[in-house]
Amino acid sequence: MKVASIVIGSVLCLAGCAPIYQAPPVESRALLRLSPAIDVFQYFDNGEDCTGPRRFTGSNNPYNRENRTLPIPSGRRIGLKLFVVGSGPSLCDIILSFIPQTGRLYDAQMELRGDRCYASIVEPNRDPADTAIEISMKQMKQGFGSCSYQNK
């Protein structure tokens, strides 16, 4: 748990240098709901290369809302780095990238099972076969603040 606390503390500290997140206008946004299992997340304005990190303040922080939702821009690729803290020193983090569609609700889900991390972005109340959300898992490159496609 000590290692996980240090990593999460570092992410929060580095995010403190990022510009404040500005919600997009209602007519060009979707909603993202964070699973209660996701302990911390980081948002990237540019999901292609994980640049443009944004930080959250009291009023725009999804963790301060009962339903844990965040208005996100639609029609362009965004990135999310999700963290789950397990028991002991285990920590799971995955970067997902996708293009939200206007007016849709997406659920970010993540869990740690044994030594494996599982993450997904799903649309609630829709048949997964009918949803063609292209979600790309990202892998961090050497160096800070950039990522590359692991698979498409």
Side-chain angles (χ1 to χ4, degrees), residues 1-11 83 85-86 88-92:
M1 188 59 123
K2 186 175 185 180
V3 171
S5 297
I6 291 170
V7 170
I8 289 175
S10 298
V11 168
F83 294 86
V85 178
S90 59
L91 172 71
C92 176

Side-chain angles (χ1 to χ4, degrees), residues 88-136:
S90 59
L91 172 71
C92 176
D93 66 295
I94 294 177
I95 298 176
L96 297 176
S97 173
F98 75 111
I99 301 172
Q101 301 302 307
T102 302
R104 300 267 179 95
L105 171 66
Y106 299 96
D107 283 342
Q109 302 174 344
M110 187 168 182
E111 65 180 306
L112 179 61
R113 285 188 235 147
D115 63 348
R116 301 218 184 248
C117 295
Y118 298 90
S120 61
I121 305 285
V122 298
E123 290 185 76
N125 305 318
R126 293 194 64 182
D127 183 343
D130 293 337
T131 60
I133 305 171
E134 179 190 328
I135 299 173
S136 302

